[in-house]
Amino acid sequence: MRFLRLFWFHLRLYSKDQYFFWLTVTSTISIFLMQYVVAFANHQTGDTTIWLRSGVFGLWSSATTAAGSITFQRFQGTLKYLVNSRTDERISLAALVMPAASFGLLSFPIAFLMAVLTQTGHSNLSWAIVGNMVGLWCGAVIMDLFISSFFVLTRNALVYEGLVTIPILVLSGLFGTPAIFRPLIAIGQWIIPIAAPVNRLLNNGSNFLWVQFITSSVLWIVLAWRLSGRLIQTYRKQGVL
């Protein structure tokens, strides 16, 4: 319960920031409109993956803001209070990082609303789709735990957020599987936790890649655990990150 209260506190602060709010909204709507123009020109507005792809893009755009979450707390001078509390340091940092991907879930209702307004395909909404959205959120959170710790190594984390947005989405298969990228996408399914949910969301009828999802998730969790442990150890010894 303490972790949930801490998470809710950070989520409320995150949602009140206009940059984070509009990033999610504009990212989702912009990618939706780009797809809609192409679909309209090709008379394929019934494509039900348009709103799903837009939702994935919006969620991950929000999730990448976790890159600067720890650095920003350090800049504000509040990081020392987060890691010096009754709650375990890793738990405190996890509660700080999770709002980035969690707020990104808002992108799916936005994308669905856009599909309704533009009368594009949206009849595929089901509990299975919702379950895959939850899987996508879990994968994004796991990746954020490592990304946020890794970007502590630079004070310019906010500048480099874009470097982890498009490449990971390409390797996860969000923009299709062109022949030139297929070998990389096949590898990406084993090392990118969001790849399995993305594949299931965009390919109706395909099976959820549980083995790839679990393997990649464990890999990122181990990396995040070890790196965060190293950061906490450094903080305890030197008093700074």
Side-chain angles (χ1 to χ4, degrees), residues 153-170:
L153 301 176
T154 174
R155 294 184 179 274
N156 300 312
L158 294 176
V159 178
Y160 300 127
E161 283 178 6
L163 295 178
V164 296
T165 303
I166 300 301
I168 288 179
L169 290 179
V170 170

PDB file of all heavy atoms in Angstrom, residues 153-170:
ATOM      1  N   LEU A 153      23.695   8.460 -16.192  1.00  0.00           N
ATOM      2  CA  LEU A 153      25.103   8.643 -16.558  1.00  0.00           C
ATOM      3  C   LEU A 153      25.335   9.948 -17.317  1.00  0.00           C
ATOM      4  O   LEU A 153      26.475  10.381 -17.471  1.00  0.00           O
ATOM      5  CB  LEU A 153      25.577   7.461 -17.418  1.00  0.00           C
ATOM      6  CG  LEU A 153      25.461   6.079 -16.773  1.00  0.00           C
ATOM      7  CD1 LEU A 153      25.874   4.997 -17.758  1.00  0.00           C
ATOM      8  CD2 LEU A 153      26.323   6.005 -15.516  1.00  0.00           C
ATOM      9  N   THR A 154      24.269  10.596 -17.797  1.00  0.00           N
ATOM     10  CA  THR A 154      24.413  11.871 -18.494  1.00  0.00           C
ATOM     11  C   THR A 154      23.447  12.891 -17.920  1.00  0.00           C
ATOM     12  O   THR A 154      22.347  12.551 -17.503  1.00  0.00           O
ATOM     13  CB  THR A 154      24.144  11.722 -20.005  1.00  0.00           C
ATOM     14  OG1 THR A 154      24.154  13.016 -20.615  1.00  0.00           O
ATOM     15  CG2 THR A 154      22.796  11.074 -20.267  1.00  0.00           C
ATOM     16  N   ARG A 155      23.877  14.134 -17.897  1.00  0.00           N
ATOM     17  CA  ARG A 155      23.004  15.212 -17.436  1.00  0.00           C
ATOM     18  C   ARG A 155      22.100  15.720 -18.553  1.00  0.00           C
ATOM     19  O   ARG A 155      21.290  16.618 -18.348  1.00  0.00           O
ATOM     20  CB  ARG A 155      23.846  16.375 -16.881  1.00  0.00           C
ATOM     21  CG  ARG A 155      24.605  16.020 -15.612  1.00  0.00           C
ATOM     22  CD  ARG A 155      25.345  17.228 -15.054  1.00  0.00           C
ATOM     23  NE  ARG A 155      26.045  16.880 -13.825  1.00  0.00           N
ATOM     24  CZ  ARG A 155      25.496  16.902 -12.619  1.00  0.00           C
ATOM     25  NH1 ARG A 155      24.225  17.249 -12.495  1.00  0.00           N
ATOM     26  NH2 ARG A 155      26.195  16.579 -11.549  1.00  0.00           N
ATOM     27  N   ASN A 156      22.268  15.182 -19.745  1.00  0.00           N
ATOM     28  CA  ASN A 156      21.473  15.615 -20.897  1.00  0.00           C
ATOM     29  C   ASN A 156      20.465  14.552 -21.304  1.00  0.00           C
ATOM     30  O   ASN A 156      20.183  14.376 -22.491  1.00  0.00           O
ATOM     31  CB  ASN A 156      22.394  15.935 -22.081  1.00  0.00           C
ATOM     32  CG  ASN A 156      23.380  17.031 -21.751  1.00  0.00           C
ATOM     33  OD1 ASN A 156      23.003  18.064 -21.221  1.00  0.00           O
ATOM     34  ND2 ASN A 156      24.653  16.806 -22.057  1.00  0.00           N
ATOM     35  N   ALA A 157      19.937  13.838 -20.336  1.00  0.00           N
ATOM     36  CA  ALA A 157      19.025  12.723 -20.626  1.00  0.00           C
ATOM     37  C   ALA A 157      17.807  13.168 -21.429  1.00  0.00           C
ATOM     38  O   ALA A 157      17.372  12.478 -22.347  1.00  0.00           O
ATOM     39  CB  ALA A 157      18.578  12.071 -19.318  1.00  0.00           C
ATOM     40  N   LEU A 158      17.254  14.337 -21.087  1.00  0.00           N
ATOM     41  CA  LEU A 158      16.063  14.807 -21.787  1.00  0.00           C
ATOM     42  C   LEU A 158      16.331  15.043 -23.268  1.00  0.00           C
ATOM     43  O   LEU A 158      15.442  14.888 -24.111  1.00  0.00           O
ATOM     44  CB  LEU A 158      15.552  16.101 -21.135  1.00  0.00           C
ATOM     45  CG  LEU A 158      15.021  15.960 -19.700  1.00  0.00           C
ATOM     46  CD1 LEU A 158      14.633  17.327 -19.153  1.00  0.00           C
ATOM     47  CD2 LEU A 158      13.834  15.022 -19.642  1.00  0.00           C
ATOM     48  N   VAL A 159      17.569  15.407 -23.593  1.00  0.00           N
ATOM     49  CA  VAL A 159      17.932  15.668 -24.980  1.00  0.00           C
ATOM     50  C   VAL A 159      17.961  14.372 -25.785  1.00  0.00           C
ATOM     51  O   VAL A 159      17.620  14.338 -26.965  1.00  0.00           O
ATOM     52  CB  VAL A 159      19.298  16.371 -25.070  1.00  0.00           C
ATOM     53  CG1 VAL A 159      19.703  16.604 -26.524  1.00  0.00           C
ATOM     54  CG2 VAL A 159      19.266  17.686 -24.309  1.00  0.00           C
ATOM     55  N   TYR A 160      18.350  13.276 -25.118  1.00  0.00           N
ATOM     56  CA  TYR A 160      18.554  12.008 -25.810  1.00  0.00           C
ATOM     57  C   TYR A 160      17.346  11.085 -25.773  1.00  0.00           C
ATOM     58  O   TYR A 160      17.441   9.934 -26.197  1.00  0.00           O
ATOM     59  CB  TYR A 160      19.764  11.287 -25.211  1.00  0.00           C
ATOM     60  CG  TYR A 160      21.047  12.068 -25.328  1.00  0.00           C
ATOM     61  CD1 TYR A 160      21.838  12.308 -24.210  1.00  0.00           C
ATOM     62  CD2 TYR A 160      21.463  12.574 -26.550  1.00  0.00           C
ATOM     63  CE1 TYR A 160      23.025  13.030 -24.307  1.00  0.00           C
ATOM     64  CE2 TYR A 160      22.640  13.286 -26.667  1.00  0.00           C
ATOM     65  CZ  TYR A 160      23.417  13.516 -25.539  1.00  0.00           C
ATOM     66  OH  TYR A 160      24.579  14.240 -25.643  1.00  0.00           O
ATOM     67  N   GLU A 161      16.210  11.558 -25.264  1.00  0.00           N
ATOM     68  CA  GLU A 161      15.017  10.707 -25.193  1.00  0.00           C
ATOM     69  C   GLU A 161      14.639  10.154 -26.559  1.00  0.00           C
ATOM     70  O   GLU A 161      14.232   9.004 -26.697  1.00  0.00           O
ATOM     71  CB  GLU A 161      13.837  11.495 -24.614  1.00  0.00           C
ATOM     72  CG  GLU A 161      13.899  11.682 -23.104  1.00  0.00           C
ATOM     73  CD  GLU A 161      12.729  12.497 -22.600  1.00  0.00           C
ATOM     74  OE1 GLU A 161      11.834  12.806 -23.423  1.00  0.00           O
ATOM     75  OE2 GLU A 161      12.698  12.827 -21.416  1.00  0.00           O
ATOM     76  N   GLY A 162      14.756  10.995 -27.583  1.00  0.00           N
ATOM     77  CA  GLY A 162      14.369  10.580 -28.920  1.00  0.00           C
ATOM     78  C   GLY A 162      15.158   9.409 -29.456  1.00  0.00           C
ATOM     79  O   GLY A 162      14.685   8.672 -30.332  1.00  0.00           O
ATOM     80  N   LEU A 163      16.362   9.210 -28.920  1.00  0.00           N
ATOM     81  CA  LEU A 163      17.214   8.123 -29.394  1.00  0.00           C
ATOM     82  C   LEU A 163      16.666   6.753 -29.029  1.00  0.00           C
ATOM     83  O   LEU A 163      17.056   5.748 -29.626  1.00  0.00           O
ATOM     84  CB  LEU A 163      18.634   8.281 -28.839  1.00  0.00           C
ATOM     85  CG  LEU A 163      19.405   9.522 -29.307  1.00  0.00           C
ATOM     86  CD1 LEU A 163      20.775   9.579 -28.634  1.00  0.00           C
ATOM     87  CD2 LEU A 163      19.565   9.518 -30.818  1.00  0.00           C
ATOM     88  N   VAL A 164      15.791   6.690 -28.032  1.00  0.00           N
ATOM     89  CA  VAL A 164      15.230   5.395 -27.620  1.00  0.00           C
ATOM     90  C   VAL A 164      13.771   5.258 -28.043  1.00  0.00           C
ATOM     91  O   VAL A 164      13.110   4.299 -27.649  1.00  0.00           O
ATOM     92  CB  VAL A 164      15.349   5.200 -26.089  1.00  0.00           C
ATOM     93  CG1 VAL A 164      16.794   5.142 -25.672  1.00  0.00           C
ATOM     94  CG2 VAL A 164      14.615   6.312 -25.334  1.00  0.00           C
ATOM     95  N   THR A 165      13.269   6.211 -28.831  1.00  0.00           N
ATOM     96  CA  THR A 165      11.871   6.152 -29.250  1.00  0.00           C
ATOM     97  C   THR A 165      11.704   5.371 -30.549  1.00  0.00           C
ATOM     98  O   THR A 165      11.189   4.252 -30.554  1.00  0.00           O
ATOM     99  CB  THR A 165      11.294   7.570 -29.427  1.00  0.00           C
ATOM    100  OG1 THR A 165      11.433   8.295 -28.198  1.00  0.00           O
ATOM    101  CG2 THR A 165       9.811   7.501 -29.788  1.00  0.00           C
ATOM    102  N   ILE A 166      12.144   5.932 -31.653  1.00  0.00           N
ATOM    103  CA  ILE A 166      11.935   5.332 -32.964  1.00  0.00           C
ATOM    104  C   ILE A 166      12.678   4.012 -33.154  1.00  0.00           C
ATOM    105  O   ILE A 166      12.085   3.030 -33.616  1.00  0.00           O
ATOM    106  CB  ILE A 166      12.307   6.327 -34.085  1.00  0.00           C
ATOM    107  CG1 ILE A 166      11.447   7.585 -33.981  1.00  0.00           C
ATOM    108  CG2 ILE A 166      12.119   5.665 -35.450  1.00  0.00           C
ATOM    109  CD1 ILE A 166       9.970   7.320 -34.080  1.00  0.00           C
ATOM    110  N   PRO A 167      13.997   3.922 -32.817  1.00  0.00           N
ATOM    111  CA  PRO A 167      14.701   2.648 -33.058  1.00  0.00           C
ATOM    112  C   PRO A 167      14.037   1.447 -32.397  1.00  0.00           C
ATOM    113  O   PRO A 167      13.912   0.380 -33.020  1.00  0.00           O
ATOM    114  CB  PRO A 167      16.098   2.906 -32.471  1.00  0.00           C
ATOM    115  CG  PRO A 167      16.272   4.379 -32.557  1.00  0.00           C
ATOM    116  CD  PRO A 167      14.919   4.951 -32.291  1.00  0.00           C
ATOM    117  N   ILE A 168      13.604   1.608 -31.157  1.00  0.00           N
ATOM    118  CA  ILE A 168      12.977   0.482 -30.452  1.00  0.00           C
ATOM    119  C   ILE A 168      11.632   0.141 -31.074  1.00  0.00           C
ATOM    120  O   ILE A 168      11.266  -1.041 -31.188  1.00  0.00           O
ATOM    121  CB  ILE A 168      12.835   0.808 -28.952  1.00  0.00           C
ATOM    122  CG1 ILE A 168      14.218   0.776 -28.287  1.00  0.00           C
ATOM    123  CG2 ILE A 168      11.891  -0.173 -28.267  1.00  0.00           C
ATOM    124  CD1 ILE A 168      14.213   1.093 -26.816  1.00  0.00           C
ATOM    125  N   LEU A 169      10.883   1.152 -31.501  1.00  0.00           N
ATOM    126  CA  LEU A 169       9.592   0.887 -32.142  1.00  0.00           C
ATOM    127  C   LEU A 169       9.772   0.185 -33.474  1.00  0.00           C
ATOM    128  O   LEU A 169       8.980  -0.680 -33.845  1.00  0.00           O
ATOM    129  CB  LEU A 169       8.830   2.197 -32.338  1.00  0.00           C
ATOM    130  CG  LEU A 169       8.311   2.870 -31.061  1.00  0.00           C
ATOM    131  CD1 LEU A 169       7.605   4.172 -31.394  1.00  0.00           C
ATOM    132  CD2 LEU A 169       7.377   1.941 -30.286  1.00  0.00           C
ATOM    133  N   VAL A 170      10.812   0.547 -34.212  1.00  0.00           N
ATOM    134  CA  VAL A 170      11.098  -0.116 -35.486  1.00  0.00           C
ATOM    135  C   VAL A 170      11.434  -1.581 -35.257  1.00  0.00           C
ATOM    136  O   VAL A 170      10.922  -2.478 -35.931  1.00  0.00           O
ATOM    137  CB  VAL A 170      12.250   0.592 -36.227  1.00  0.00           C
ATOM    138  CG1 VAL A 170      12.705  -0.242 -37.426  1.00  0.00           C
ATOM    139  CG2 VAL A 170      11.820   1.977 -36.681  1.00  0.00           C
TER     140      VAL A 170
END
